[in-house]
Amino acid sequence: GLMSGTSMDGVDCSIIQSDGDTKYSVICDMYFAYSSNLREKLTILRDKINLYKNIKETQEEISEVEKQLTKIS
């Protein structure tokens, strides 16, 4: 699983094995920190998006940040 919280400091990654109910074991946990540049871009982008229409207006910026997030690991 992957998770990035509201602190926008990085991505937490976990690989687990589960019975799908109550039992699980952690196989691997890793953390990938965002660079200060990427964190700044995410913060600026977050502040620009208040309504659904803002997503369309910022689509180019979103795509660029998405590429950077994909390459982080």
Side-chain angles (χ1 to χ4, degrees):
L2 302 172
M3 182 183 82
S4 179
T6 56
S7 65
M8 293 191 303
D9 60 344
V11 176
D12 294 292
C13 307
S14 294
I15 298 173
I16 65 164
Q17 184 172 15
S18 171
D19 68 357
D21 189 25
T22 58
K23 296 179 183 177
Y24 73 93
S25 61
V26 176
I27 296 170
C28 179
D29 279 325
M30 296 186 79
Y31 170 73
F32 298 93
Y34 295 155
S35 68
S36 58
N37 183 39
L38 180 55
R39 188 173 181 184
E40 181 180 356
K41 286 180 181 183
L42 285 167
T43 302
I44 290 168
L45 193 54
R46 178 203 59 203
D47 293 344
K48 287 182 179 182
I49 299 173
N50 294 312
L51 303 169
Y52 178 75
K53 71 175 189 164
N54 301 135
I55 294 173
K56 288 186 175 187
E57 294 167 356
T58 57
Q59 190 58 54
E60 191 172 312
E61 290 173 80
I62 292 171
S63 293
E64 182 57 38
V65 170
E66 181 181 31
K67 288 176 190 174
Q68 291 179 17
L69 285 172
T70 301
K71 294 178 182 179
I72 206 166
S73 61

